[in-house]
Amino acid sequence: MTTQTILPVNAESLGQLSKQRQEPAWLTENRLKALELAASLELPKLEKMRIERWDIQNYGSYKADAGIASLAEVPASIQELIQDQESGSLLIQRNSSVVYSKLAPELAEKGVIFTDLQTAAKEHGDLVKAHLHTAVKADENSVAALHAAIWNGGVFVYVPKNVEVTVPLQAVLLTDDGEATFAPHVLIIADANSSVTYVDNYVSGEGNQAVTHNGAVEVFAKQGAKVRYATIHQMGTNVTDLSYRRAIIDNDASMEWIVGEMNSGDTVSDTYSVLKGNGSTSDSKVIAVGSGSQKLNYTTRANHFGKSSESQMITRAVMREEASAIINGITKIEKGATKSDGQQTEKVLMLSPKARGDANPILLIDEDDVKAGHAASVGQVNQEQIYYLMSRGISREVAESLIIYGFLAPVVSQIPMESLQKQLQTVIERKLGQ
């Protein structure tokens, strides 16, 4: 049965808005085709969850925010995230539009591009057109199609051949107006033998109005390129988060995902690496904390096409109170991808009898000469460990916290950025009510 998608905009108004923003004709055409698809395609099918029962129709309308001249003007809700960034490379999106964008001069001299995607579509049209919606395709489902139609603001990164970006590029994406569409699209292109680290934070304001975040990320790691993508989602209970991430990885290129799922609202997260080239590698680390009555669906995937390609996927999730999570790990090795190696681990720790966690490791192997493995576990907090710590004079709350940190530490400690480790630690403490 097809579930009807309620479109937040019609073709006429979408076309007019695109022209008002002076978008190129090819982009306007793409948006209109995607909107037509959104009306006919089904919603994504989630493992053991029915997304049609979720509140995912709160898109609002496009509302451009005024730009800011300096970081002293940023909203209080994100000031902590942009400390000491006056001289760095930083982009800020607030609701429907990017309000601040700065690239360090030394990177601009090397040909690095770091700007909002709407500007890039006009100023670097050939580059954007060749990659946009080719990894997260509009015809995947109605959510992807609707995103392709209404995306706004966004981030565009291009690193030329043989250029190494040693200092992370950072972005903060904020939704604090429930009536404004919030659908950023991140597009990263790392040309041959380049390297880049990109870090972003998704944050919401204090409003109670329901918001649907429909976001997509596309990463293209060309031959020999190295891309590290770190993202922390910490939006409130009023935000339903639908996030699709894709990476296309060419010969001898590497992709590293570091994902912190710290939302307080319902979440669908799909992180997918396509190991297209020979010798390509992918490493995905996902940490999640669920609380309240959250419904969470996390999928991490690796698809091997290239010979001698390697993927590693690690997910660790903590569920509190009545939160429920479905965690999928899918490794697929295609025929011809000889000497490939795909490994995955999913572990869920439940802190309450009413919390639920379901780990689903899946291996799909169409080639004989490969290595593949998986491990999964779901369980409650070990009460003996808690009693042991309490017998040493530690309160139950602190004892549980120590066990949680010990559970997450094997993943957090592997994150090669000290600043991100500290930020994740702070967000985890906040999520656990400490």
Side-chain angles (χ1 to χ4, degrees):
M1 183 181 70
T2 299
T3 303
Q4 183 66 36
T5 298
I6 300 174
L7 301 178
V9 65
N10 59 43
E12 182 180 359
S13 58
L14 180 62
Q16 289 177 350
L17 178 60
S18 184
K19 290 177 182 178
Q20 286 173 8
R21 295 188 299 209
Q22 298 181 326
E23 294 179 342
W26 64 263
L27 181 51
T28 303
E29 184 180 352
N30 282 0
R31 289 187 184 276
L32 293 174
K33 286 181 179 178
L35 187 67
E36 187 176 348
L37 281 173
S40 60
L41 293 175
E42 294 186 4
L43 289 167
K45 292 179 173 61
L46 304 183
E47 184 76 20
K48 298 181 181 179
M49 285 188 177
R50 299 186 64 179
I51 194 173
E52 62 268 23
R53 295 180 177 177
W54 292 24
D55 187 13
I56 57 171
Q57 303 292 348
N58 303 295
Y59 283 100
S61 58
Y62 179 84
K63 295 173 68 176
D65 274 78
I68 58 176
S70 73
L71 296 184
E73 302 174 27
V74 303
S77 55
I78 63 171
Q79 286 181 351
E80 182 181 340
L81 299 174
I82 52 92
Q83 288 180 355
D84 304 320
Q85 286 298 312
E86 287 80 2
S87 60
S89 300
L90 175 67
L91 182 145
I92 300 172
Q93 175 165 343
R94 187 176 189 183
N95 301 309
S96 302
S97 59
V98 169
V99 296
Y100 181 89
S101 179
K102 181 179 179 180
L103 174 63
E106 61 271 20
L107 295 180
E109 291 175 1
K110 294 179 180 180
V112 174
I113 303 171
F114 180 52
T115 186
D116 66 278
L117 186 55
Q118 287 182 210
T119 296
K122 290 182 281 189
E123 298 181 356
H124 310 282
D126 291 344
L127 197 54
V128 174
K129 185 180 180 181
H131 295 85
L132 185 64
H133 306 314
T134 61
V136 181
K137 298 181 179 180
D139 60 3
E140 286 190 22
N141 52 59
S142 63
V143 170
L146 191 53
H147 171 83
I150 67 170
W151 68 264
N152 49 43
V155 181
F156 179 74
V157 175
Y158 172 73
V159 185
K161 293 180 181 179
N162 303 315
V163 172
E164 294 185 13
V165 180
T166 56
V167 178
L169 307 176
Q170 298 196 50
V172 177
L173 303 109
L174 167 68
T175 171
D176 61 359
D177 182 348
E179 297 180 353
T181 304
F182 183 61
H185 188 106
V186 179
L187 177 59
I188 298 175
I189 304 167
D191 219 328
N193 300 312
S194 65
S195 67
V196 63
T197 295
Y198 167 86
V199 180
D200 64 27
N201 279 267
Y202 288 74
V203 188
S204 63
E206 298 179 353
N208 295 319
Q209 191 167 345
V211 175
T212 299
H213 164 245
N214 184 344
V217 174
E218 296 181 296
V219 179
F220 298 87
K222 306 296 184 179
Q223 182 171 336
K226 297 180 180 179
V227 179
R228 178 183 293 156
Y229 188 111
T231 182
I232 298 178
H233 287 226
Q234 46 182 318
M235 293 180 281
T237 55
N238 62 313
V239 181
T240 299
D241 184 1
L242 311 175
S243 294
Y244 289 83
R245 309 179 189 95
R246 302 280 188 276
I248 309 297
I249 311 165
D250 286 345
N251 292 340
D252 301 314
S254 67
M255 178 71 205
E256 182 178 4
W257 297 103
I258 302 169
V259 181
E261 297 286 1
M262 301 294 156
N263 288 326
S264 296
D266 296 340
T267 300
V268 174
S269 169
D270 187 308
T271 305
Y272 182 18
S273 293
V274 180
L275 294 107
K276 179 182 174 183
N278 298 333
S280 55
T281 62
S282 170
D283 184 352
S284 304
K285 302 179 182 72
V286 181
I287 299 174
V289 177
S291 60
S293 57
Q294 278 185 278
K295 296 182 289 294
L296 308 167
N297 190 289
Y298 304 130
T299 300
T300 310
R301 297 188 279 166
N303 199 347
H304 295 250
F305 290 91
K307 295 178 174 62
S308 301
S309 53
E310 298 182 3
S311 67
Q312 176 73 248
M313 302 187 297
I314 301 174
T315 302
R316 294 213 173 191
V318 176
M319 294 296 111
R320 300 176 60 213
E321 298 158 350
E322 298 180 16
S324 61
I326 304 295
I327 297 173
N328 305 302
I330 305 172
T331 302
K332 190 173 194 304
I333 301 180
E334 304 287 350
K335 184 68 176 177
T338 55
K339 307 297 182 182
S340 292
D341 187 353
Q343 305 293 329
Q344 57 168 284
T345 303
E346 295 86 38
K347 293 188 176 183
V348 185
L349 180 65
M350 295 177 290
L351 304 185
S352 162
K354 293 184 178 181
R356 292 289 180 268
D358 192 350
N360 304 306
I362 300 171
L363 298 177
L364 305 170
I365 313 298
D366 291 334
E367 179 58 59
D368 295 329
D369 187 14
V370 299
K371 295 179 182 179
H374 64 72
S377 67
V378 177
Q380 300 280 348
V381 173
N382 189 323
Q383 294 300 320
E384 290 184 1
Q385 293 177 341
I386 291 178
Y387 293 147
Y388 173 81
L389 292 171
M390 291 176 66
S391 71
R392 297 298 186 268
I394 298 174
S395 69
R396 173 177 284 273
E397 286 185 356
V398 174
E400 283 191 352
S401 298
L402 291 172
I403 292 171
I404 292 167
Y405 297 143
F407 176 75
L408 297 176
V411 179
V412 176
S413 62
Q414 291 185 41
I415 296 172
M417 300 165 59
E418 185 178 353
S419 60
L420 193 61
Q421 285 190 27
K422 291 179 179 178
Q423 186 189 347
L424 265 175
Q425 184 82 3
T426 301
V427 176
I428 290 169
E429 289 174 356
R430 189 178 304 145
K431 191 75 165 54
L432 294 173
Q434 297 166 3

